[in-house]
Amino acid sequence: MTSSETELISILDASDSGSDTATMQKQGAKSLPETLPILGLSDIVFFPGMVAPLLVDTAQSIRLIDDVVGGDRFLGLFLQHKPETENPVLDDLHKVGCAARVLKMLKFPDNTVRVLVEGLRRVEIDKVESSEPYLKAKTTHLKDLEEESLELTALTRHAHQQFQEIINLSPAISDQVKIAVLNTEKPSKLSDLIAANLNISLAERQDLLSTTSVQERFKKLSPLLSRELEVLSIGSKIQKEVAESMSKSQRDYFLREQIRVIQKELGETDPNQVEIENLRQQVEENNLPEEPKKVALKELDRLQAIPPAAAEYTVTRNYLDWIVNLPWNKGTEDQINLATARKLLDEHHHGLDKVKERLLEFLAVIKLKHSLKGPILCLVGPPGVGKTSLGRSVAEALGRKFIRIALGGMRDEAEIRGHRRTYVGALPGRILQAIRRVESNNPVILLDEIDKVGSDFRGDPASALLEVLDPQQNSTFTDHYLDLPFDLSKVMFITTANWMDPVHPALRDRLEIIELPSYTLSEKIQITRRHLIPRQLEEHGVKPKLVKIPDTTIARLIQDYTREAGLRQLEREIAALVRKAARKYAEEQVKHPPLVIKAADLHDYLGIARFHQETAENISECGIATGLAWTPVGGSILFIEATKMPGKGALILTGSLGDVMKESAQTALSYLRSQSKSLGIPLTELEKTDIHIHVPAGATPKDGPSAGITMTMALASLFTGRRVRSDVAMTGEISLRGRVLPVGGIKEKVLAASRSRIKELILPELNQKDWTEVPEEVRERMKVHFVRHIADALPFALRNK
């Protein structure tokens, strides 16, 4: 199936280069073979002498074009009965078409081909020669039957005159066609030229192409030309009337003003005046502050003087609507009961004791002080640990309305401050839109994903948030659209983030950061038992007594099918189990309820385990050590690999390492070289040996100093020939003197080690204070060695030969 890509490009054989084109056409017609490849057309009829582009998009048609261009460039163009047919056969095509020659071909990246084709002469299909790989048929040349007569001359002149009138009324017809019409005298070519450029249907075009008698062709063209001429005349008349009506607009305005005055004298109601009076009444009743009220009354006076048909009327009307409907002095009364709040937080969130304590302290201060000018809370933690739901619980405990604003991907400052009223379709920012939506001036607004805010040429939303989140400034927050101060000091803002590094330093300074840690295995089991399973059973229409999932199954599900700090993937896996159970009940496969899903059955329900525990039990070679890393989605373990080979003493580092991590590797090597004798590490002929350090997962960028001790142990293992212990993981920055320095993210790293079944840890001595934040159940299972120096860590990390 082939379609025309644009309108007709030109009609050759009678324009500026008419003689050259005519010569080419005659030469092509003389050498035209009887058997032609047949190309079906979906939305265009080709006439002799016509040049137009075609879009070819099916594989069969593209193959045909390739063969034609590689051969004699001749093909037959026939209109299809149905445009949607992709690979037409003989019965799908009209009998009469046009033999043509491909002038140019262009291939495009979207697997389509554009060709420029020139029509040569009318042909009729006699019989099909072959249908694979595309249609080929034997054709017969249909000659134009042109006998000179007075009637043909009269018909030709009449058609020429009518088409000239159409050209004058239709600006869409190109200058090239106009020139061609003036220089075409032969009746057969004039009829084809008119048929190709007249605005008629495909069926009418095909009928004209199938007509070989030139005189008969002009008889069919005559009513079509008259119809098109009449349509264009009516269109021209309509345009003239529209222009005249535009000039009447001022007269109509004065008439409307006279009608308004007459209605006023008669005591009749003006709808616009009624609307203005309603707005004025709302201004008085809504108890607006002094400045907004003053501006609203001034804008009402302006609105009364503006004609309703003017564009400024709508702009002013919308502005007044925003002023009147904002809750300037309308809020909800706090109902703070700390015992109820504690109960509510415990019901909705398991664990997170320190986070709950801080939130309850925050609520206690509000209860005593009866005001909110305090810190802005920022809940920071991996995805899926309950940051957003904590904000909703705080709003419920306060008895306030809650609304969430997603900041992820926001790049326009106007999203916060709004657009100025001079712009078409201007609106206030999302802060004021949210306040109007909840109809309260003291809601709880959760600014979600504050670390995902971007910036570009339209401004920096993070800078606009500086005023919003500053308790000392937001009492006079001014939106660009409203251009009036609005008091945001009564609004309780809570923000969330996965990590704080991308947050603007000035914005970070305004936030009180509350970190939400990763959940431990026991916490995940309890949350699954209390919240996830009941919720999924309810959502899938399964009664709780029909499906039982034991704790052993939940533990296996967490360890083998999820690898996350939060709970989202776990809930998806629970949903998959419940769906399988629901299907069993729907198909009546369960004979003895309840259906108990055992740990051994998880393979049948969810397939093979998606994760294997990446523990150092796999370490069977020297030069490999297990480290601990922190990521925005929680902690993880990583292997650091080192090897040596003959070379020139170069240090090769791979694995998408950042500058800080590369410096840690260089520091580790320098320390071991300088202390080789005291540590008993042989470093003979090091200048003739290249050392290669690699950190797997090479597509993931890695940086930071905390892998320094791990790199040191990997290199020490490589040089001494002693393997690193399989059950030991470590983290810590190192100095050139061998000191082990403190690092961050200890809790997340330890939890990751626990998930990976690591039994012993090597941590910096200065991180002992962070060990107390690790859940007690994890501390009881793991043995930790706090070290001050590299020499202290070597006995714990390396095996004896």
Side-chain angles (χ1 to χ4, degrees):
M1 181 178 69
T2 305
S3 60
S4 63
E5 188 182 36
T6 59
E7 294 182 354
L8 181 66
I9 286 184
S10 61
I11 296 293
L12 301 179
D13 201 15
S15 59
D16 297 344
S17 57
S19 59
D20 294 338
T21 307
T23 303
M24 292 167 60
Q25 190 174 346
K26 289 175 182 177
Q27 291 173 351
K30 287 179 181 179
S31 59
L32 191 68
E34 287 186 351
T35 301
L36 294 173
I38 304 301
L39 184 65
L41 303 177
S42 60
D43 61 353
I44 185 172
V45 176
F46 248 83
F47 288 87
M50 172 178 170
V51 176
L54 297 177
L55 171 65
V56 183
D57 56 1
T58 64
Q60 189 182 75
S61 300
I62 291 173
R63 170 78 180 274
L64 184 151
I65 293 297
D66 285 338
D67 291 348
V68 166
V69 172
D72 55 13
R73 291 180 172 258
F74 295 113
L75 74 165
L77 302 175
F78 290 78
L79 181 67
Q80 300 172 185
H81 292 294
K82 296 180 179 179
E84 62 271 16
T85 306
E86 288 195 359
N87 298 312
V89 296
L90 181 62
D91 293 336
D92 298 323
L93 302 172
H94 288 275
K95 291 284 288 181
V96 178
C98 183
R101 178 174 56 186
V102 176
L103 300 177
K104 291 182 181 179
M105 178 183 74
L106 287 175
K107 291 189 175 182
F108 287 80
D110 58 351
N111 295 325
T112 61
V113 174
R114 273 76 164 176
V115 290
L116 187 65
V117 184
E118 174 192 5
L120 298 176
R121 65 188 188 191
R122 286 175 171 80
V123 290
E124 183 179 14
I125 296 177
D126 285 341
K127 63 177 181 177
V128 175
E129 294 287 344
S130 64
S131 57
E132 292 295 333
Y134 46 79
L135 189 64
K136 282 187 178 182
K138 188 175 182 180
T139 61
T140 302
H141 175 208
L142 299 178
K143 294 184 179 180
D144 288 331
L145 302 177
E146 183 178 345
E147 296 181 1
E148 293 186 3
S149 64
L150 292 175
E151 185 179 5
L152 177 60
T153 304
L155 286 170
T156 303
R157 289 181 181 177
H158 182 65
H160 193 281
Q161 181 183 357
Q162 283 187 308
F163 194 63
Q164 283 288 357
E165 293 179 18
I166 289 172
I167 288 174
N168 295 333
L169 291 172
S170 178
I173 296 178
S174 67
D175 293 335
Q176 195 173 6
V177 174
K178 297 176 184 177
I179 295 171
V181 170
L182 293 174
N183 291 278
T184 302
E185 297 179 357
K186 194 171 183 180
S188 60
K189 294 186 177 180
L190 180 64
S191 63
D192 288 341
L193 176 63
I194 294 174
N197 288 276
L198 197 61
N199 186 15
I200 55 178
S201 66
L202 288 175
E204 292 167 339
R205 290 180 191 270
Q206 181 62 39
D207 185 32
L208 291 170
L209 181 67
S210 303
T211 305
T212 56
S213 171
V214 178
Q215 186 168 319
E216 192 65 30
R217 206 180 299 159
F218 273 116
K219 287 182 180 179
K220 292 180 179 180
L221 271 173
S222 183
L224 299 176
L225 286 165
S226 300
R227 182 187 68 189
E228 181 67 10
L229 188 58
E230 185 176 355
V231 170
L232 290 172
S233 300
I234 293 172
S236 178
K237 182 181 178 182
I238 291 172
Q239 286 184 345
K240 186 177 179 182
E241 290 176 355
V242 169
E244 289 177 356
S245 66
M246 291 293 290
S247 64
K248 290 167 53 182
S249 60
Q250 288 184 330
R251 183 173 63 90
D252 293 344
Y253 168 75
F254 288 118
L255 287 175
R256 287 194 190 94
E257 286 297 308
Q258 289 177 357
I259 291 172
R260 188 176 65 81
V261 173
I262 292 170
Q263 287 177 335
K264 184 177 179 180
E265 291 295 326
L266 293 174
E268 296 180 356
T269 305
D270 181 6
N272 296 319
Q273 189 63 34
V274 171
E275 183 180 38
I276 292 171
E277 289 304 320
N278 287 338
L279 285 171
R280 194 181 300 276
Q281 185 178 354
Q282 284 181 291
V283 170
E284 298 296 337
E285 292 178 354
N286 286 1
N287 191 24
L288 302 182
E290 183 179 351
E291 187 174 355
K293 184 176 182 179
K294 182 179 178 181
V295 172
L297 292 174
K298 182 180 178 181
E299 291 294 324
L300 277 169
D301 294 338
R302 286 186 66 244
L303 186 67
Q304 202 161 3
I306 299 174
E312 184 67 20
Y313 184 90
T314 305
V315 173
T316 306
R317 173 68 183 81
N318 290 340
Y319 179 62
L320 279 168
D321 187 60
W322 273 98
I323 293 178
V324 167
N325 289 295
L326 275 174
W328 298 90
N329 295 307
K330 181 181 177 184
T332 55
E333 186 176 349
D334 291 340
Q335 300 173 355
I336 303 176
N337 186 315
L338 293 181
T340 304
R342 178 77 198 201
K343 182 180 178 182
L344 187 66
L345 289 172
D346 288 338
E347 284 178 358
H348 292 177
H349 304 86
H350 179 78
L352 304 175
D353 292 332
K354 288 191 175 181
V355 178
K356 292 177 185 175
E357 287 297 326
R358 181 62 189 90
L359 291 174
L360 289 171
E361 291 168 5
F362 191 68
L363 296 177
V365 172
I366 296 174
K367 181 176 182 179
L368 294 175
K369 195 178 178 184
H370 303 292
S371 68
L372 195 64
K373 284 195 176 181
I376 306 295
L377 301 183
C378 180
L379 306 176
V380 181
V385 295
K387 299 184 294 295
T388 304
S389 57
L390 271 172
R392 194 182 301 274
S393 298
V394 170
E396 192 174 341
L398 279 169
R400 295 190 181 190
K401 295 184 178 180
F402 174 82
I403 191 163
R404 171 182 166 271
I405 299 177
L407 300 181
M410 184 182 292
R411 293 180 174 275
D412 191 355
E413 180 197 359
E415 294 275 0
I416 303 296
R417 287 190 173 277
H419 296 85
R420 300 192 184 277
R421 279 187 290 155
T422 50
Y423 295 107
V424 177
L427 282 173
R430 292 172 66 177
I431 301 293
L432 289 189
Q433 288 184 38
I435 289 175
R436 177 179 174 177
R437 197 174 302 124
V438 298
E439 298 179 347
S440 171
N441 66 356
N442 64 340
V444 174
I445 296 182
L446 182 79
L447 301 176
D448 211 3
E449 309 289 0
I450 198 170
D451 56 329
K452 309 297 190 304
V453 174
S455 63
D456 60 13
F457 64 93
R458 292 168 293 184
D460 184 3
S463 299
L465 285 171
L466 293 177
E467 181 184 1
V468 174
L469 298 180
D470 192 335
Q472 307 302 322
Q473 299 179 25
N474 61 9
S475 59
T476 56
F477 172 73
T478 303
D479 187 274
H480 285 159
Y481 178 85
L482 210 62
D483 203 23
L484 289 169
F486 189 91
D487 186 4
L488 295 180
S489 63
K490 299 176 183 178
V491 178
M492 182 176 182
F493 289 102
I494 298 176
T495 64
T496 71
N498 293 132
W499 60 323
M500 295 303 295
D501 286 6
V503 180
H504 193 288
L507 183 58
R508 194 185 315 161
D509 185 58
R510 286 163 166 77
L511 306 175
E512 179 176 337
I513 297 171
I514 301 177
E515 294 189 0
L516 277 72
S518 306
Y519 288 116
T520 63
L521 177 63
S522 63
E523 287 175 337
K524 286 186 177 182
I525 292 174
Q526 291 299 320
I527 294 170
T528 303
R529 171 74 50 220
R530 296 183 187 180
H531 302 286
L532 303 188
I533 293 177
R535 182 161 64 217
Q536 291 302 322
L537 288 173
E538 182 180 354
E539 288 182 1
H540 291 84
V542 180
K543 295 180 180 179
K545 62 183 180 180
L546 296 179
V547 177
K548 301 296 180 184
I549 305 177
D551 288 353
T552 53
T553 304
I554 299 172
R556 176 73 64 82
L557 185 66
I558 294 168
Q559 292 171 348
D560 292 352
Y561 292 87
T562 67
R563 182 65 57 83
E564 60 180 344
L567 299 163
R568 290 199 178 115
Q569 181 62 30
L570 177 58
E571 185 164 14
R572 283 191 284 267
E573 299 299 337
I574 294 292
L577 290 177
V578 174
R579 284 195 302 271
K580 301 284 187 183
R583 181 180 175 183
K584 286 182 180 292
Y585 276 106
E587 294 177 350
E588 298 181 356
Q589 296 180 17
V590 182
K591 297 180 180 179
H592 304 289
L595 174 64
V596 180
I597 301 176
K598 299 178 181 178
D601 299 334
L602 286 178
H603 182 277
D604 299 327
Y605 283 90
L606 302 176
I608 61 173
R610 296 188 180 91
F611 301 99
H612 67 279
Q613 299 298 328
E614 293 183 349
T615 62
E617 64 189 17
N618 298 323
I619 297 177
S620 58
E621 301 175 13
C622 298
I624 303 175
T626 307
L628 299 173
W630 179 92
T631 68
V633 295
S636 66
I637 71 168
L638 53 83
F639 294 119
I640 293 180
E641 303 170 351
T643 188
K644 59 183 178 179
M645 66 211 82
K648 298 180 181 180
L651 175 61
I652 304 168
L653 303 172
T654 57
S656 296
L657 308 184
D659 291 338
V660 177
M661 204 164 181
K662 290 178 180 178
E663 291 172 359
S664 296
Q666 293 168 350
T667 304
L669 180 58
S670 297
Y671 170 75
L672 291 176
R673 291 178 65 181
S674 65
Q675 303 294 325
S676 59
K677 291 183 180 180
S678 62
L679 297 175
I681 297 175
L683 292 177
T684 57
E685 297 185 352
L686 190 60
E687 67 277 358
K688 296 181 181 180
T689 305
D690 286 348
I691 298 172
H692 187 169
I693 297 177
H694 177 69
V695 183
T700 305
K702 311 167 193 71
D703 205 0
S706 62
I709 189 173
T710 316
M711 290 181 171
T712 306
M713 293 304 154
L715 290 172
S717 170
L718 178 67
F719 295 145
T720 60
R722 296 165 58 189
R723 286 181 293 139
V724 177
R725 289 176 53 189
S726 301
D727 56 351
V728 174
M730 61 205 78
T731 183
E733 182 181 355
I734 61 168
S735 73
L736 204 55
R737 294 178 291 163
R739 295 175 57 208
V740 182
L741 305 177
V743 293
I746 292 295
K747 183 176 182 180
E748 285 74 15
K749 293 176 180 179
V750 173
L751 291 176
S754 174
R755 288 196 299 268
S756 301
R757 298 172 187 172
I758 296 290
K759 297 178 181 178
E760 295 188 27
L761 295 173
I762 299 175
L763 301 177
E765 188 179 59
L766 294 175
N767 279 120
Q768 286 192 40
K769 63 183 187 301
D770 301 308
W771 181 249
T772 58
E773 295 185 5
V774 178
E776 186 175 355
E777 59 175 295
V778 176
R779 284 183 286 165
E780 290 176 353
R781 287 202 307 266
M782 305 190 75
K783 184 177 181 181
V784 62
H785 305 284
F786 292 104
V787 296
R788 180 181 298 180
H789 199 274
I790 290 292
D792 302 333
L794 288 171
F796 300 124
L798 300 181
R799 292 179 180 272
N800 295 323
K801 288 187 178 179

